[in-house]
Amino acid sequence: MKSFMIIGQFVPGTSSLHKLDPRTKMVTIFSFVIIVFFANNVLSYGWLALFSLALILLSKIRIPYILKGITPVWFLIIFTFILHLFITREGPVLLEISTFKIYEGGVIRGLTISLRFLLLVLVTSLLTLTTSPMEITDAIEELFAPLKKIKVPVHELALMMSISLRFIPTLLEETEKISKAQASRGVDFRTGTLKDRMYAIVPLLVPLFISAFKRAEELAMAMEARGYNGSEGRTKLRELKLTNIDYIAILLYVIINIIFFTLRQ
Amino acid sequence: MDIQFKQVSYTYQPHTPFAYQAIRNINLSISSGEYIAIVGHTGSGKSTLLQHINGLLLPTDGEVQIGEYILSSNNKRQDLRKLREKVGIVFQYPEHQLFEETVEKDISFGPHNFGIPKDEISKRVLSSIEKVELQTNFLEKSPFELSGGQMRRVAIAGVLAMEPEVLILDEPTAGLDPKGQIDIMKMFYQLHQSKQMTTILVTHQMDHALKYADRIIVLANGEVYMEGNPEEIFSKTNQLQEVNLDVPEILTLIQDFNQRFNGTIRYQRQSIAELAKEIVEHFRENKRL
Ligand SMILES: Nc1ncnc2c1ncn2[C@@H]1O[C@H](COP(=O)(O)OP(=O)(O)OP(=O)(O)O)[C@@H](O)[C@H]1O
Ligand SMILES: [Mg+2]
């Protein structure tokens, strides 16, 4: 299970993508998400695809790992493609199989929409692959800091987020441990009717919830014991700071976008 | 049931940047009715090794044979329930697996899954709660209102109620009070002797390994580092130190004593009290001379 999903997983490394300030990565990637929707011809799509490929190469993460890791998304992408292939009726007919007609417009739309989808997933998963959860929450807290003026509890929200992210691997580990223990006592999670399998989850969920609540309680006590009382007057251990590599990245990104907008029609 | 490991390796999360080979090229054979201790520094692959014995993990390379079951990477689909009924595992911190409303239901959970008839289950529940030295009035309580040590005992009772042929214990006494540790270890040993139960104990306490095991297997970095009876293993002090393992205090004491006072005391699984008597005896005899 673990080896299949890489979405949201962080792969530590020292590539230049890893070294970028998380704020730079987040701002550029979220603007990229919007920009993808502006592509409207082969050249502009090609340019964005090239840009995404360059990012993957820069991250130094092995391409097969990324492609395999987004397996669940592949199904969606292929499904979208097929859906558009059959539904769109524009342009000349390319192929006729008994009552089904495939139009040129369908192929084009299917391709562009799936490509768009693929680019979005690839680039956003690059964000989480190269940025530790801690950095992401730090960046969110910084980026949303202005909202503190209108009494949004930005610090507390960021803290909640980082705690949840911190405990995801722990919970997964715990799930694995408990399911192994119960499997040893004869629970079968894999076979049987749907009803059987739903019952098989109870011995897994109960211990999991209990330990999660216990952990939360202990964590709260430990934080209080160490004098935590919210954001008031709190200084930071890790200060985010833009460096030269960030300025270069931003500059490159702007240039790439200028080229993009001249390429599109 | 005899257990055989043939060139077994296991890699966690293969084909990812997180791939980690936890055990490699393990060859072992454990005969029916043996008491084996597996020792090794933390992270040496002990728990990984154990989980191969009831098919929780399938080897990425090589094969494991348990009785008539053969487990290897290419036979994924077989019903392992029969195997799991015969191989009981007490995991590290087993109290985390409790989930039922009452202690009684939790202990019955395993036997119930394996299709044991109801009246047989209630017999087993009673006998196993007795073995772990809890009173029968605990049966009606919720497992979550018990203390940590009591929860541990309930969890162990849950595995004993399966009446396995092979009992695997992954640090069963970690975190128990000293008296509780001794009691539980004695209970496992009695079970081993009375039912000829194959027992595989993972422990960080060398004196437990020394006292109970017929044979000790030392793991280091996922490989079998040494193997032999306790006397052999613990005589190789230097080799043990290399993998951060200690020699039990009682052995060091006997050795130092023999050296210093010209003694001839041999370790024969005696308790501290018995050893003290032997020492007194030694001085008495020497005075007479
Ligand atoms: N689910 C897992 N995914 C990835 N790596 C794992 C997993 N479980 C264990 N490992 C790694 O495999 C190695 C061996 O782990 P194992 O639990 O077998 O050690 P151990 O000898 O039982 O240690 P301990 O004495 O601390 O219980 C460790 O380095 C551990 O980090
Ligand atoms: Mg272990």
Side-chain angles (χ1 to χ4, degrees), chain B residues 10 57 63:
Chain B
Y10 186 81
L57 298 178
E63 68 177 44

Side-chain angles (χ1 to χ4, degrees), chain B residues 86-145:
Chain B
K86 290 180 184 158
V87 180
I89 301 193
V90 176
F91 280 89
Q92 259 169 312
Y93 301 103
E95 52 273 28
H96 296 313
Q97 73 194 30
L98 303 176
F99 73 99
E100 284 280 17
E101 295 144 62
T102 65
V103 169
E104 180 170 16
K105 279 190 186 170
D106 212 287
I107 298 178
S108 326
F109 183 66
H112 176 80
N113 283 328
F114 293 121
I116 309 292
K118 275 225 162 61
D119 44 338
E120 167 73 16
I121 293 184
S122 9
K123 262 190 247 160
R124 287 189 185 185
V125 169
L126 280 177
S127 81
S128 53
I129 192 110
E130 209 172 277
K131 280 181 196 135
V132 295
E133 293 178 347
L134 290 177
Q135 277 108 36
T136 39
N137 63 351
F138 274 88
L139 288 177
E140 301 308 318
K141 292 191 182 178
S142 155
F144 303 110
E145 63 187 64

Side-chain angles (χ1 to χ4, degrees), chain A residues 88-94 102-106:
Chain A
T88 317
R89 309 187 161 195
E90 281 165 24
V93 178
L94 285 183
I102 290 180
Y103 298 86
E104 193 185 82

Side-chain angles (χ1 to χ4, degrees), chain A residues 215-227:
Chain A
R215 232 184 264 278
E217 216 168 278
E218 277 163 17
L219 182 67
M221 274 198 271
M223 281 169 69
E224 250 172 77
R226 294 202 272 167

Side-chain angles (χ1 to χ4, degrees), chain B residues 131 133 153 178-188:
Chain B
K131 280 181 196 135
E133 293 178 347
R153 286 162 195 264
K179 165 127 189 348
Q181 294 195 4
I182 294 172
D183 291 344
I184 292 234
M185 289 310 298
K186 273 192 184 150
M187 183 270 295
F188 286 134

